[in-house]
PDB file of all heavy atoms in Angstrom:
ATOM      1  N   GLY A 250     -12.827   8.640  31.735  1.00 98.00           N
ATOM      2  CA  GLY A 250     -13.569   7.705  32.572  1.00 98.00           C
ATOM      3  C   GLY A 250     -12.876   6.350  32.567  1.00 98.00           C
ATOM      4  O   GLY A 250     -11.663   6.260  32.750  1.00 98.00           O
ATOM      5  N   ARG A 251     -13.638   5.298  32.333  1.00 98.00           N
ATOM      6  CA  ARG A 251     -13.042   3.968  32.186  1.00 98.00           C
ATOM      7  C   ARG A 251     -12.604   3.821  30.730  1.00 98.00           C
ATOM      8  O   ARG A 251     -13.423   3.942  29.820  1.00 98.00           O
ATOM      9  CB  ARG A 251     -14.046   2.891  32.576  1.00 98.00           C
ATOM     10  CG  ARG A 251     -14.468   2.980  34.034  1.00 98.00           C
ATOM     11  CD  ARG A 251     -15.560   1.988  34.382  1.00 98.00           C
ATOM     12  NE  ARG A 251     -16.046   2.216  35.737  1.00 98.00           N
ATOM     13  CZ  ARG A 251     -17.079   1.586  36.294  1.00 98.00           C
ATOM     14  NH1 ARG A 251     -17.750   0.671  35.588  1.00 98.00           N
ATOM     15  NH2 ARG A 251     -17.449   1.866  37.527  1.00 98.00           N
ATOM     16  N   ALA A 252     -11.316   3.566  30.520  1.00 98.00           N
ATOM     17  CA  ALA A 252     -10.770   3.539  29.169  1.00 98.00           C
ATOM     18  C   ALA A 252      -9.933   2.288  28.961  1.00 98.00           C
ATOM     19  O   ALA A 252      -9.155   1.893  29.841  1.00 98.00           O
ATOM     20  CB  ALA A 252      -9.923   4.788  28.905  1.00 98.00           C
ATOM     21  N   VAL A 253     -10.097   1.699  27.782  1.00 98.00           N
ATOM     22  CA  VAL A 253      -9.340   0.512  27.383  1.00 98.00           C
ATOM     23  C   VAL A 253      -8.627   0.815  26.074  1.00 98.00           C
ATOM     24  O   VAL A 253      -9.245   1.308  25.123  1.00 98.00           O
ATOM     25  CB  VAL A 253     -10.252  -0.713  27.213  1.00 98.00           C
ATOM     26  CG1 VAL A 253      -9.482  -1.899  26.644  1.00 98.00           C
ATOM     27  CG2 VAL A 253     -10.905  -1.096  28.538  1.00 98.00           C
ATOM     28  N   PHE A 254      -7.326   0.527  26.034  1.00 98.00           N
ATOM     29  CA  PHE A 254      -6.540   0.632  24.802  1.00 98.00           C
ATOM     30  C   PHE A 254      -6.132  -0.781  24.398  1.00 98.00           C
ATOM     31  O   PHE A 254      -5.422  -1.459  25.138  1.00 98.00           O
ATOM     32  CB  PHE A 254      -5.278   1.470  25.017  1.00 98.00           C
ATOM     33  CG  PHE A 254      -5.506   2.917  25.358  1.00 98.00           C
ATOM     34  CD1 PHE A 254      -4.423   3.724  25.691  1.00 98.00           C
ATOM     35  CD2 PHE A 254      -6.768   3.493  25.344  1.00 98.00           C
ATOM     36  CE1 PHE A 254      -4.593   5.059  26.005  1.00 98.00           C
ATOM     37  CE2 PHE A 254      -6.957   4.834  25.655  1.00 98.00           C
ATOM     38  CZ  PHE A 254      -5.868   5.616  25.992  1.00 98.00           C
ATOM     39  N   ASP A 255      -6.536  -1.233  23.220  1.00 98.00           N
ATOM     40  CA  ASP A 255      -6.281  -2.593  22.738  1.00 98.00           C
ATOM     41  C   ASP A 255      -5.572  -2.508  21.393  1.00 98.00           C
ATOM     42  O   ASP A 255      -6.002  -1.768  20.511  1.00 98.00           O
ATOM     43  CB  ASP A 255      -7.627  -3.321  22.600  1.00 98.00           C
ATOM     44  CG  ASP A 255      -7.496  -4.784  22.201  1.00 98.00           C
ATOM     45  OD1 ASP A 255      -6.361  -5.282  22.104  1.00 98.00           O
ATOM     46  OD2 ASP A 255      -8.537  -5.421  21.985  1.00 98.00           O
ATOM     47  N   ALA A 256      -4.502  -3.310  21.190  1.00 97.00           N
ATOM     48  CA  ALA A 256      -3.669  -3.253  19.983  1.00 97.00           C
ATOM     49  C   ALA A 256      -2.971  -1.899  19.940  1.00 97.00           C
ATOM     50  O   ALA A 256      -3.296  -1.024  19.155  1.00 97.00           O
ATOM     51  CB  ALA A 256      -4.492  -3.494  18.719  1.00 97.00           C
ATOM     52  N   VAL A 257      -1.977  -1.748  20.784  1.00 98.00           N
ATOM     53  CA  VAL A 257      -1.509  -0.428  21.210  1.00 98.00           C
ATOM     54  C   VAL A 257      -0.411   0.124  20.299  1.00 98.00           C
ATOM     55  O   VAL A 257       0.622  -0.512  20.070  1.00 98.00           O
ATOM     56  CB  VAL A 257      -1.004  -0.492  22.662  1.00 98.00           C
ATOM     57  CG1 VAL A 257      -0.674   0.898  23.172  1.00 98.00           C
ATOM     58  CG2 VAL A 257      -2.065  -1.152  23.555  1.00 98.00           C
ATOM     59  N   VAL A 258      -0.634   1.342  19.811  1.00 97.00           N
ATOM     60  CA  VAL A 258       0.371   2.080  19.056  1.00 97.00           C
ATOM     61  C   VAL A 258       1.461   2.556  20.015  1.00 97.00           C
ATOM     62  O   VAL A 258       1.173   3.019  21.126  1.00 97.00           O
ATOM     63  CB  VAL A 258      -0.272   3.290  18.349  1.00 97.00           C
ATOM     64  CG1 VAL A 258       0.790   4.203  17.745  1.00 97.00           C
ATOM     65  CG2 VAL A 258      -1.256   2.818  17.275  1.00 97.00           C
ATOM     66  N   ASP A 259       2.714   2.433  19.591  1.00 98.00           N
ATOM     67  CA  ASP A 259       3.831   2.959  20.381  1.00 98.00           C
ATOM     68  C   ASP A 259       3.872   4.475  20.200  1.00 98.00           C
ATOM     69  O   ASP A 259       4.225   4.965  19.119  1.00 98.00           O
ATOM     70  CB  ASP A 259       5.139   2.329  19.906  1.00 98.00           C
ATOM     71  CG  ASP A 259       6.345   2.751  20.740  1.00 98.00           C
ATOM     72  OD1 ASP A 259       6.261   3.783  21.432  1.00 98.00           O
ATOM     73  OD2 ASP A 259       7.378   2.059  20.671  1.00 98.00           O
ATOM     74  N   PRO A 260       3.552   5.256  21.235  1.00 98.00           N
ATOM     75  CA  PRO A 260       3.473   6.715  21.071  1.00 98.00           C
ATOM     76  C   PRO A 260       4.824   7.406  21.071  1.00 98.00           C
ATOM     77  O   PRO A 260       4.897   8.618  20.842  1.00 98.00           O
ATOM     78  CB  PRO A 260       2.644   7.142  22.282  1.00 98.00           C
ATOM     79  CG  PRO A 260       3.010   6.143  23.335  1.00 98.00           C
ATOM     80  CD  PRO A 260       3.214   4.840  22.602  1.00 98.00           C
ATOM     81  N   THR A 261       5.891   6.647  21.318  1.00 97.00           N
ATOM     82  CA  THR A 261       7.222   7.258  21.370  1.00 97.00           C
ATOM     83  C   THR A 261       7.923   7.232  20.017  1.00 97.00           C
ATOM     84  O   THR A 261       9.003   7.809  19.872  1.00 97.00           O
ATOM     85  CB  THR A 261       8.108   6.531  22.391  1.00 97.00           C
ATOM     86  OG1 THR A 261       8.417   5.205  21.915  1.00 97.00           O
ATOM     87  CG2 THR A 261       7.428   6.429  23.743  1.00 97.00           C
ATOM     88  N   GLN A 262       7.327   6.586  19.027  1.00 97.00           N
ATOM     89  CA  GLN A 262       7.982   6.428  17.733  1.00 97.00           C
ATOM     90  C   GLN A 262       7.560   7.504  16.739  1.00 97.00           C
ATOM     91  O   GLN A 262       6.395   7.912  16.717  1.00 97.00           O
ATOM     92  CB  GLN A 262       7.657   5.053  17.140  1.00 97.00           C
ATOM     93  CG  GLN A 262       8.227   3.885  17.925  1.00 97.00           C
ATOM     94  CD  GLN A 262       7.884   2.550  17.294  1.00 97.00           C
ATOM     95  OE1 GLN A 262       6.856   2.398  16.635  1.00 97.00           O
ATOM     96  NE2 GLN A 262       8.752   1.562  17.489  1.00 97.00           N
ATOM     97  N   ASN A 263       8.504   7.917  15.883  1.00 97.00           N
ATOM     98  CA  ASN A 263       8.132   8.751  14.750  1.00 97.00           C
ATOM     99  C   ASN A 263       7.701   7.843  13.596  1.00 97.00           C
ATOM    100  O   ASN A 263       7.646   6.614  13.748  1.00 97.00           O
ATOM    101  CB  ASN A 263       9.285   9.678  14.348  1.00 97.00           C
ATOM    102  CG  ASN A 263      10.531   8.935  13.908  1.00 97.00           C
ATOM    103  OD1 ASN A 263      10.484   7.788  13.456  1.00 97.00           O
ATOM    104  ND2 ASN A 263      11.681   9.581  14.033  1.00 97.00           N
ATOM    105  N   ALA A 264       7.386   8.435  12.446  1.00 96.00           N
ATOM    106  CA  ALA A 264       6.842   7.648  11.340  1.00 96.00           C
ATOM    107  C   ALA A 264       7.823   6.583  10.861  1.00 96.00           C
ATOM    108  O   ALA A 264       7.433   5.449  10.563  1.00 96.00           O
ATOM    109  CB  ALA A 264       6.454   8.578  10.195  1.00 96.00           C
ATOM    110  N   GLU A 265       9.090   6.926  10.783  1.00 97.00           N
ATOM    111  CA  GLU A 265      10.081   5.936  10.338  1.00 97.00           C
ATOM    112  C   GLU A 265      10.191   4.786  11.327  1.00 97.00           C
ATOM    113  O   GLU A 265      10.196   3.609  10.944  1.00 97.00           O
ATOM    114  CB  GLU A 265      11.442   6.605  10.164  1.00 97.00           C
ATOM    115  CG  GLU A 265      12.535   5.632   9.751  1.00 97.00           C
ATOM    116  CD  GLU A 265      13.900   6.278   9.685  1.00 97.00           C
ATOM    117  OE1 GLU A 265      13.992   7.430   9.199  1.00 97.00           O
ATOM    118  OE2 GLU A 265      14.885   5.631  10.105  1.00 97.00           O
ATOM    119  N   GLN A 266      10.269   5.111  12.598  1.00 97.00           N
ATOM    120  CA  GLN A 266      10.371   4.070  13.612  1.00 97.00           C
ATOM    121  C   GLN A 266       9.115   3.191  13.640  1.00 97.00           C
ATOM    122  O   GLN A 266       9.196   1.980  13.839  1.00 97.00           O
ATOM    123  CB  GLN A 266      10.605   4.706  14.977  1.00 97.00           C
ATOM    124  CG  GLN A 266      11.953   5.395  15.102  1.00 97.00           C
ATOM    125  CD  GLN A 266      12.025   6.356  16.279  1.00 97.00           C
ATOM    126  OE1 GLN A 266      10.997   6.841  16.781  1.00 97.00           O
ATOM    127  NE2 GLN A 266      13.231   6.651  16.730  1.00 97.00           N
ATOM    128  N   GLY A 267       7.950   3.824  13.408  1.00 97.00           N
ATOM    129  CA  GLY A 267       6.719   3.052  13.359  1.00 97.00           C
ATOM    130  C   GLY A 267       6.696   2.091  12.189  1.00 97.00           C
ATOM    131  O   GLY A 267       6.257   0.934  12.322  1.00 97.00           O
ATOM    132  N   SER A 268       7.168   2.536  11.029  1.00 97.00           N
ATOM    133  CA  SER A 268       7.216   1.663   9.858  1.00 97.00           C
ATOM    134  C   SER A 268       8.191   0.510  10.069  1.00 97.00           C
ATOM    135  O   SER A 268       7.913  -0.635   9.702  1.00 97.00           O
ATOM    136  CB  SER A 268       7.606   2.468   8.612  1.00 97.00           C
ATOM    137  OG  SER A 268       6.589   3.377   8.262  1.00 97.00           O
ATOM    138  N   LEU A 269       9.347   0.800  10.661  1.00 97.00           N
ATOM    139  CA  LEU A 269      10.323  -0.253  10.936  1.00 97.00           C
ATOM    140  C   LEU A 269       9.764  -1.247  11.958  1.00 97.00           C
ATOM    141  O   LEU A 269       9.952  -2.465  11.816  1.00 97.00           O
ATOM    142  CB  LEU A 269      11.619   0.361  11.439  1.00 97.00           C
ATOM    143  CG  LEU A 269      12.764  -0.614  11.722  1.00 97.00           C
ATOM    144  CD1 LEU A 269      13.165  -1.368  10.455  1.00 97.00           C
ATOM    145  CD2 LEU A 269      13.972   0.124  12.310  1.00 97.00           C
ATOM    146  N   GLY A 270       9.067  -0.715  12.961  1.00 97.00           N
ATOM    147  CA  GLY A 270       8.445  -1.602  13.944  1.00 97.00           C
ATOM    148  C   GLY A 270       7.407  -2.511  13.304  1.00 97.00           C
ATOM    149  O   GLY A 270       7.298  -3.699  13.651  1.00 97.00           O
ATOM    150  N   GLN A 271       6.658  -1.970  12.355  1.00 97.00           N
ATOM    151  CA  GLN A 271       5.679  -2.806  11.663  1.00 97.00           C
ATOM    152  C   GLN A 271       6.364  -3.859  10.793  1.00 97.00           C
ATOM    153  O   GLN A 271       5.861  -4.976  10.666  1.00 97.00           O
ATOM    154  CB  GLN A 271       4.757  -1.942  10.812  1.00 97.00           C
ATOM    155  CG  GLN A 271       3.694  -1.221  11.621  1.00 97.00           C
ATOM    156  CD  GLN A 271       2.553  -0.741  10.741  1.00 97.00           C
ATOM    157  OE1 GLN A 271       2.737  -0.397   9.586  1.00 97.00           O
ATOM    158  NE2 GLN A 271       1.362  -0.721  11.302  1.00 97.00           N
ATOM    159  N   ALA A 272       7.478  -3.517  10.172  1.00 97.00           N
ATOM    160  CA  ALA A 272       8.207  -4.520   9.389  1.00 97.00           C
ATOM    161  C   ALA A 272       8.569  -5.712  10.276  1.00 97.00           C
ATOM    162  O   ALA A 272       8.395  -6.881   9.882  1.00 97.00           O
ATOM    163  CB  ALA A 272       9.461  -3.903   8.776  1.00 97.00           C
ATOM    164  N   LYS A 273       9.043  -5.432  11.477  1.00 97.00           N
ATOM    165  CA  LYS A 273       9.373  -6.508  12.410  1.00 97.00           C
ATOM    166  C   LYS A 273       8.118  -7.252  12.852  1.00 97.00           C
ATOM    167  O   LYS A 273       8.115  -8.480  12.971  1.00 97.00           O
ATOM    168  CB  LYS A 273      10.095  -5.929  13.631  1.00 97.00           C
ATOM    169  CG  LYS A 273      11.444  -5.290  13.313  1.00 97.00           C
ATOM    170  CD  LYS A 273      12.042  -4.609  14.543  1.00 97.00           C
ATOM    171  CE  LYS A 273      13.365  -3.933  14.210  1.00 97.00           C
ATOM    172  NZ  LYS A 273      13.921  -3.198  15.387  1.00 97.00           N
ATOM    173  N   GLY A 274       7.024  -6.496  13.098  1.00 97.00           N
ATOM    174  CA  GLY A 274       5.792  -7.112  13.567  1.00 97.00           C
ATOM    175  C   GLY A 274       5.154  -8.020  12.531  1.00 97.00           C
ATOM    176  O   GLY A 274       4.711  -9.136  12.849  1.00 97.00           O
ATOM    177  N   PHE A 275       5.103  -7.568  11.278  1.00 98.00           N
ATOM    178  CA  PHE A 275       4.515  -8.400  10.234  1.00 98.00           C
ATOM    179  C   PHE A 275       5.394  -9.604   9.923  1.00 98.00           C
ATOM    180  O   PHE A 275       4.886 -10.687   9.621  1.00 98.00           O
ATOM    181  CB  PHE A 275       4.247  -7.568   8.974  1.00 98.00           C
ATOM    182  CG  PHE A 275       2.929  -6.850   9.016  1.00 98.00           C
ATOM    183  CD1 PHE A 275       2.853  -5.542   9.462  1.00 98.00           C
ATOM    184  CD2 PHE A 275       1.754  -7.487   8.642  1.00 98.00           C
ATOM    185  CE1 PHE A 275       1.639  -4.879   9.525  1.00 98.00           C
ATOM    186  CE2 PHE A 275       0.536  -6.833   8.706  1.00 98.00           C
ATOM    187  CZ  PHE A 275       0.474  -5.525   9.143  1.00 98.00           C
ATOM    188  N   GLN A 276       6.716  -9.433  10.004  1.00 97.00           N
ATOM    189  CA  GLN A 276       7.598 -10.589   9.795  1.00 97.00           C
ATOM    190  C   GLN A 276       7.393 -11.611  10.910  1.00 97.00           C
ATOM    191  O   GLN A 276       7.366 -12.825  10.652  1.00 97.00           O
ATOM    192  CB  GLN A 276       9.057 -10.143   9.744  1.00 97.00           C
ATOM    193  CG  GLN A 276      10.019 -11.258   9.367  1.00 97.00           C
ATOM    194  CD  GLN A 276       9.774 -11.780   7.958  1.00 97.00           C
ATOM    195  OE1 GLN A 276       9.601 -11.015   7.020  1.00 97.00           O
ATOM    196  NE2 GLN A 276       9.752 -13.101   7.811  1.00 97.00           N
TER     197      GLN A 276
END
Side-chain angles (χ1 to χ4, degrees):
R251 297 175 187 174
V253 173
F254 295 174
D255 184 4
V257 187
V258 171
D259 184 341
T261 69
Q262 294 180 331
N263 62 25
E265 178 184 319
Q266 293 163 338
S268 292
L269 182 61
Q271 283 198 328
K273 296 174 182 177
F275 275 94
Q276 187 64 45

